[in-house]
């Protein structure tokens, strides 16, 4: 994620009432995304964290969820596994 994308995300988040912070299970959470997450949470807005494409990492889904939660400083139960394609 480039600086321009981060600034756009922060500007949109500043205007939002609620944030849905979405990550890709295949890609994981990179350092730039982790930095942006911290900035988004710093806005003090209510939010949820979701991990999309969890179906694409079936065998490793538990480990992917645990790693994401650990990276974000959350309990694994606070990261919602989703499959946007099929609902």
């Amino acid at each position: 994620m480039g600086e321009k994308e981060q600034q756009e995300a922060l500007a949109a988040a500043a205007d939002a009432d609620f944030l849905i912070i979405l990550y890709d299970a295949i890609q994981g959470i990179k350092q730039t995304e982790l930095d942006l997450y911290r900035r988004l949470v710093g806005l003090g807005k209510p939010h949820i964290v979701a991990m999309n494409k969890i179906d694409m990492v079936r065998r490793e889904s538990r480990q992917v969820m645990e790693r994401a939660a650990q990276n974000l400083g959350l309990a694994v139960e606070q990261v919602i596994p989703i499959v946007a394609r099929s609902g």
Side-chain angles (χ1 to χ4, degrees):
M1 179 177 287
E3 184 62 31
K4 180 182 176 188
E5 290 86 0
Q6 286 189 31
Q7 292 305 320
E8 289 173 356
L10 285 170
D15 290 337
D17 295 323
F18 185 86
L19 304 177
I20 300 171
I21 304 172
L22 183 66
Y23 293 101
D24 184 315
I26 298 169
Q27 298 293 323
I29 301 172
K30 298 177 177 75
Q31 186 61 49
T32 55
E33 293 168 325
L34 182 56
D35 294 341
L36 178 57
Y37 171 77
R38 290 180 181 139
R39 293 173 74 184
L40 290 169
V41 170
L43 294 173
K45 307 271 182 162
H47 65 279
I48 60 170
V49 175
M51 184 66 64
N52 191 29
K53 300 182 184 177
I54 200 67
D55 61 320
M56 302 299 287
V57 292
R58 286 185 207 271
R59 291 185 183 159
E60 299 86 23
S61 63
R62 182 70 185 170
Q63 294 89 344
V64 168
M65 295 295 292
E66 289 172 351
R67 192 169 35 248
Q70 181 180 19
N71 288 340
L72 298 172
L74 301 172
V76 72
E77 296 81 18
Q78 292 176 285
V79 181
I80 303 167
I82 65 169
V83 181
R85 177 180 238 173
S86 66

